[in-house]
Amino acid sequence: YEPPLGHGVMKLPSGAAFAVLESPGDSWPANNAPTDQHFLGYTLDDQQQPTFRYRVNGVTVEDFPQPVATALDTGFKRTFTFRATPPLANFFFRAAAGKIVERPDGSFLIEDKLTLKFPGAKASVRRNGDKAELLVPVIFSGNQAQLVEEFSW
């Protein structure tokens, strides 16, 4: 195992990133819970940027990470495209776990290091004692859904 290079490495939650919950208050599946997740490979676009493909609970996911440089922050964004027949209800993305602060602009500060935004989505923090999780519902329109996650630090 070779750890990540650099300083300020941010560890994201272990376990499944996506899950079907009967209700938003249900517990996230335990790290050792059986999951239906399969890596399907990746493709490269004309600029050699990858789109990763995987299947989770019968949903095909395309995950396209892109670097983003602005005058103020360094970061990247991930564009997720979901396809399912039939579409799933109560399908959620767990973006973070730990210390989470919701900011007035709708962004979320994670562990005092990382800022996450979800343009067009209704992310919410749920708390259980000293633990917090940032959940984003994946809302299908027909057999497809899209979710954008923006990272800055």
Side-chain angles (χ1 to χ4, degrees):
Y1 169 75
E2 183 69 31
L5 297 175
H7 302 285
V9 174
M10 182 74 197
K11 185 174 180 170
L12 297 176
S14 61
F18 299 97
V20 175
L21 303 177
E22 290 300 317
S23 75
D26 286 355
S27 296
W28 198 258
N31 287 345
N32 59 355
T35 59
D36 179 22
Q37 299 184 21
H38 303 282
F39 183 62
L40 301 175
Y42 65 94
T43 58
L44 298 174
D45 67 11
D46 292 339
Q47 284 125 5
Q48 300 301 299
Q49 292 180 306
T51 297
F52 300 98
R53 298 183 66 243
Y54 39 96
R55 185 171 294 119
V56 179
N57 294 358
V59 177
T60 301
V61 181
E62 293 181 355
D63 180 354
F64 180 58
Q66 295 174 279
V68 175
T70 68
L72 299 175
D73 296 317
T74 299
F76 69 95
K77 74 176 184 177
R78 293 170 77 184
T79 302
F80 296 99
T81 303
F82 306 90
R83 291 182 180 81
T85 305
L88 287 180
N90 303 318
F91 191 56
F92 289 88
F93 171 50
R94 184 173 66 162
K99 181 180 176 188
I100 303 170
V101 176
E102 186 170 1
R103 293 177 162 169
D105 67 355
S107 66
F108 299 87
L109 180 62
I110 313 301
E111 301 291 338
D112 297 321
K113 296 179 184 178
L114 175 68
T115 299
L116 297 179
K117 292 181 185 178
F118 303 91
K122 295 187 179 186
S124 62
V125 178
R126 66 178 188 174
R127 302 191 188 284
N128 184 2
D130 62 344
K131 292 184 176 183
E133 294 176 309
L134 179 57
L135 297 186
V136 186
V138 176
I139 308 297
F140 282 84
S141 176
N143 294 334
Q144 187 168 316
Q146 192 169 67
L147 174 65
V148 175
E149 178 182 30
E150 297 177 349
F151 296 74
S152 61
W153 56 92

